[in-house]
Amino acid sequence: MYRRIPRYVRAVITLLQENKHRAYLVGGCVRDLLRGVSPRDWDVATSALPSQVENIFPRVLPTGVEFGTVTVVCEEGQVEVTTMRRDGVYRDGRHPSQVTFGQDIREDLLRRDFTINALAYDPLQDELVDPTGGLRDLRAGILRAVGDPYERFGEDALRLLRAIRLSGQVGVEIEAQTWQALCALHGNLKSIARERIGQEVAEILALDEVVSPLTRLDESGLLKLIFPPLYSQNRYPPAVSLKTSGYLPPVLHLRLAGLLLGTAAAPLLKGLHLGKDFNRRVTHLIDHINGLRQVPPDPASLRYFLSRLGPENLKDLKLLALALGRAGGWEEKEGDAIHHRLGELDRLTDRSFPLSPRELAIDGHDLRQYLQIRPGPRVGAILEELWFEVLADPSRNRRDYLLSRARQMKPL
Ligand code: ATP
Ligand code: MG
C-alpha cells in the first residue's frame, strides 16, 4: 500500500510524526487503497491541534478550524488534516454541538459513518487500525453503519444519501439493518440544506452504474422527498423516468434530463443549486425532447427545430430520445415517427444552412441600403421572413435571390 501513496502525502504524515504527533491516513482514502482504487482525496487524522499543524507546514488553509480541519497545500496536491476528535451531541441533524479534540485514533474512527470508512492506516509503521471490522465488510462487499444505524442516521441525515452513493461508488450492498434504519429515517433528509442534497444527488447521478442507486433512492422514499413531482406530476410512470436516466451515459446533465423529462424541471433544478448555465442546459434538452414529438417532419420545420436546438446538442438529444424509447416512454406509433425525425435531423446537419437570420448572405445594412428603408423592426421582420424561405430551401441563400425577394416584401 505504501508505494501507492503519493510522496507528498507521505511527507505530510512523516513531518507530523517527526514533530511527536500521531498521524494516520483515514476514511475513504484507506478504503480505496485497500480495494486498489485511486482515492479521490487524502485525509489525515492527527493528534496535533490545528494551530500546531499551522506551525509545522508553510502553506495551510483554515478549511474548518472549529471542527479541527485545515488543508495542507503542497506543490503536488492538498491534504486535509483533521485533529482526532470525539463528537458531542448532534444539534440539528447535521452538526455536532461541540467537538472535543482527542488523542485516540480508535475513538476518532468510531464517530465515522460506515465501517468501510472507519479505517486508519499509518504508512510508516504499515499499521491498519480497524476497530469496527471495516476490512472484513469491504471484502464481503457490505456497507454497514458504525454501531447503531438508527443513531448514526439520526445524528446526521446526510449519511442517508452518502450510504446510497457509497454503495454504488464502492460497489457494496447496504447491510439489512442499515437499510432498515435508512428507510425508517428517510424523512430526516428534510433537515439537510438543499445545496448539500444537490451535491450528493449530482455525485450519485454521475456514477457509472446508476440504476441500483436510483432504485435505492426510490425504495427508501428519499427520491420522493428530493423530487416530489416525479411521483405526482410526471408525464411518465416514475419507473420510466428512472430507467431513462439509467440508460444514459454517466454524464450529469444527461442523467438529470432523463430523470426529470416528464416534469416541470426548472424549479426542481433550481433547488439543487448546480448553477444557472447548467440548469439551462438541462431544461433546453428537456424542452426539445418534448418538441421532437410535435415538430412536423418537413425539412423546413426540422431545420428550424435544429437551429433552435443548436446542432451541437443533437447528439445529446438523440441519446435522450433513445433512452426514453428503451425505457418505454414513447408510444408505439410515436416511436417510429421519432426515429424518422432523428434520422432526418442527422442528415440535415450534413449540409450547412443559416442557423439564424444573422447568418443569411445579406444583413440589415444591405437591406437598408438596397431598399432605402430606415432602421427599425421592419428590417428584422424581413430578415426573419427571408430566413424561413432559406430554411425551406438553403440554395436560396444568395444575395441576388434574397435582395429581389426583399424588394417584393418591402411594401408589406
Ligand atoms: P469519497 O470517495 O467521495 O471521497 P469518502 O468516504 O472519502 O468518499 P469524504 O467526504 O472524503 O468521503 O470523507 C472522508 C471520511 O470522513 C469518510 O470516509 C468518513 O470516514 C468521514 N465522513 C465524511 N462524512 C461523514 C459524515 N457525514 N458522517 C460521518 N463520517 C463522515
Ligand atoms: Mg474522500
Side-chain angles (χ1 to χ4, degrees), residues 22 45-49 52 82-87 99-108 111:
R22 290 153 184 275
T46 181
S47 54
L49 295 171
Q52 294 174 311
T82 304
T83 307
M84 292 176 197
R85 60 189 220 209
R86 237 176 306 152
D87 289 344
V99 302
T100 316
F101 293 136
Q103 303 275 320
D104 184 357
I105 185 66
R106 287 173 175 268
E107 223 165 31
D108 182 85
R111 68 175 180 85

Side-chain angles (χ1 to χ4, degrees), residues 26-32 35 38-43 80 85 87 90 94 108-109 111-119 152 155-160 162 165-166 169-170 196 200 203:
V26 273
C29 61
V30 180
R31 175 197 73 214
D32 289 344
R35 64 191 189 107
S38 296
R40 301 207 298 187
D41 39 34
W42 298 95
D43 292 303
E80 299 257 297
R85 60 189 220 209
D87 289 344
Y90 277 70
R94 177 77 189 99
D108 182 85
L109 293 175
R111 68 175 180 85
R112 291 171 188 268
D113 46 7
F114 306 108
T115 62
I116 60 169
N117 284 347
L119 295 164
R152 284 288 96 80
E155 285 164 356
D156 176 2
L158 191 68
R159 294 171 185 163
L160 299 160
R162 281 178 58 85
R165 194 246 299 169
L166 287 166
Q169 182 178 319
V170 181
R196 290 295 290 116
E200 280 295 329
E203 291 203 26

